[in-house]
Amino acid sequence: MKAVQLFKIGDFRVVDVPKPVPKGDQILVQVGSCGICGSDIPRIFELGTSKQKYPLTIGHEFCGEIVEVGEKVDKKNIGKRGAIFPCIPCKKCDPCLSGHYAMCEDYDYLGSRSDGGFSEYCLVPSLWHFVESNNNNLSDEELSMVEPCTVAQHAIRRSDFTAGNSILIFGAGPIGQMAANWAKIFGASLVVLVDVVEEKVEFARKQNHIVLNSTKVDIKEEFKKINNQKLPDVIIEGTGSGNALCQAIECCKTFGTIVLMGNPNRDTNIKLSDHSLILRKELNIKGSWNSHYNNSPINEWYYTVKMLDEEKMKVKNLITHKSNLNNLPKLCEDIYKKNISICKAIYSKNEK
């Protein structure tokens, strides 16, 4: 089968590898589509794999159809289509024992530590990782968006957001827009996105979002203008930028909540005056990491698939670039070199 593997930093290419054979609890999934995550680009061109293991098939945002199963798995599962939860937790550490698998202290991960979804087939440890879709009209491309869509959902839930709250989201990329969609589904009174790149601002506006360019307007004053002179109840900081964090602190209402979702990408020192505002406003600042994959209190992955199946969550409009496996290295290089402007780029087995 074909796979796109990283052999060393910068050496990302299509190769022929043996098609895996599932054993025991394992399932073999024919990959339908796999998203290019924002973390994949620095992994390929700057950082390497999580444990410097090579060669490795990258890609953790994927879905597919079960085509073979190990001897411990009921063959009735063959033919089912769904999204794949890529985290492989140890299930022995304290976070795992309390059902917080994203916090596992000794985890494996499809696409960054073990072979992932940039391939024709992927070997998945067990059915536990498989979240079935029950809507045949939902495309593979949409189903591959479950992972980032659930990350966005988790950030909203971390804010203790309730219906009627207003929300300001820094970052108008795919996850920011999906967070905005979740906020609308959960009953927000007002949702506003912020970005510094005019192309992103214009694209998000075309998706029917209210979007502000923080290089052109005073975000705090603009938000108040459209929210009856009130500041946001909740802010999602999705860029990892120190400047955005400072703006979030300045824009948040007293006793409000700021959720840090974006991975820090530079020095994120904050100004002394903003540090003081955290205290003076008694702000609630929360971290958000990945997503929650446990039925208590709610399995966010199952909820995302349910909302996609019911067509209440829309993600297809965020996909701007598609590629087959052969052209995937070039697409990733173009993203890295900023030769193209994307919202969401994906590998699709249906792309010619």
Side-chain angles (χ1 to χ4, degrees):
M1 69 171 190
K2 284 185 179 179
V4 187
Q5 295 191 323
L6 187 64
F7 284 79
K8 63 181 181 180
I9 295 173
D11 184 2
F12 186 54
R13 49 192 157 99
V14 182
V15 292
D16 289 320
V17 296
K19 180 180 173 183
V21 177
K23 298 178 181 178
D25 292 321
Q26 295 173 333
I27 60 173
L28 185 68
V29 170
Q30 182 179 19
V31 178
S33 183
C34 184
I36 300 173
C37 178
S39 66
D40 287 331
I41 301 304
R43 180 175 293 116
I44 294 167
F45 295 102
E46 297 175 1
L47 304 175
T49 65
S50 296
K51 292 190 174 182
Q52 301 301 302
K53 174 186 174 184
Y54 304 102
L56 189 78
T57 304
I58 306 298
H60 60 270
E61 301 177 358
F62 67 104
C63 70
E65 179 183 331
I66 299 174
V67 291
E68 292 180 43
V69 297
E71 61 274 12
K72 294 183 179 180
V73 184
D74 194 327
K75 291 186 182 298
K76 290 181 180 178
N77 290 291
I78 294 175
K80 291 182 178 180
R81 193 172 63 105
I84 305 299
F85 178 63
C87 182
I88 307 172
C90 71
K91 296 189 178 180
K92 297 176 182 178
C93 65
D94 285 347
C96 281
L97 292 175
S98 62
H100 295 92
Y101 300 113
M103 306 301 174
C104 177
E105 296 170 358
D106 187 25
Y107 64 92
D108 201 345
Y109 211 86
L110 297 172
S112 66
R113 301 186 177 202
S114 288
D115 288 337
F118 288 154
S119 57
E120 291 183 295
Y121 299 89
C122 182
L123 193 63
V124 177
S126 71
L127 273 174
W128 182 81
H129 296 263
F130 184 80
V131 185
E132 184 179 5
S133 167
N134 294 303
N135 181 354
N136 291 330
N137 294 322
L138 187 70
S139 68
D140 286 338
E141 289 82 0
E142 292 168 282
L143 196 53
S144 70
M145 298 277 276
V146 169
E147 196 273 346
C149 194
T150 309
V151 168
Q153 181 198 151
H154 184 65
I156 298 292
R157 291 187 184 277
R158 285 287 295 149
S159 73
D160 296 324
F161 179 92
T162 58
N165 282 166
S166 60
I167 184 167
L168 181 64
I169 301 169
F170 284 84
I175 292 183
Q177 290 188 59
M178 286 186 281
N181 290 341
W182 282 120
K184 292 172 184 178
I185 288 171
F186 293 162
S189 61
L190 176 67
V191 182
V192 177
L193 285 156
V194 180
D195 213 295
V196 297
V197 179
E198 187 60 24
E199 278 185 290
K200 287 186 177 182
V201 170
E202 291 301 323
F203 181 85
R205 282 176 180 160
K206 289 177 182 177
Q207 316 313 313
N208 298 315
H209 295 297
I210 300 172
V211 197
L212 304 175
N213 187 327
S214 59
T215 67
K216 296 183 177 182
V217 299
D218 184 315
I219 300 300
K220 181 177 177 181
E221 293 306 314
E222 286 297 313
F223 190 94
K224 287 168 67 177
K225 280 182 187 177
I226 55 180
N227 195 41
N228 298 316
Q229 293 304 306
K230 294 181 179 179
L231 294 172
D233 299 299
V234 169
I235 295 181
I236 306 293
E237 202 304 283
T239 71
S241 158
N243 287 337
L245 176 56
C246 287
Q247 284 185 304
I249 293 166
E250 292 159 15
C251 290
C252 196
K253 77 169 192 178
T254 300
F255 307 124
T257 299
I258 299 173
V259 175
L260 307 181
M261 177 179 68
N263 285 327
N265 52 32
R266 293 183 183 88
D267 185 351
T268 51
N269 291 339
I270 63 172
K271 295 182 291 187
L272 178 63
S273 58
D274 291 324
H275 192 156
S276 180
L277 277 177
I278 296 172
L279 312 184
R280 285 180 173 272
K281 291 183 177 182
E282 292 198 0
L283 298 180
N284 301 297
I285 298 183
K286 297 184 175 184
S288 180
W289 185 250
N290 210 305
S291 54
H292 187 68
Y293 194 75
N294 189 16
N295 291 341
S296 178
I298 184 169
N299 190 312
E300 294 167 349
W301 278 69
Y302 280 78
Y303 189 73
T304 294
V305 173
K306 182 176 185 291
M307 291 295 100
L308 287 170
D309 277 354
E310 294 178 5
E311 300 180 7
K312 293 176 181 176
M313 170 57 72
K314 305 289 187 180
V315 296
K316 193 172 185 177
N317 58 325
L318 301 178
I319 301 170
T320 55
H321 293 73
K322 301 179 186 179
S323 172
N324 56 29
L325 284 178
N326 287 330
N327 296 327
L328 188 62
K330 179 64 166 59
L331 175 57
C332 291
E333 183 180 9
D334 284 340
I335 294 170
Y336 177 64
K337 291 183 176 179
K338 296 182 170 55
N339 294 333
I340 56 175
S341 177
I342 68 165
C343 182
K344 189 63 183 178
I346 62 169
Y347 150 61
S348 172
K349 72 177 177 65
N350 297 319
E351 197 68 11
K352 302 301 182 184

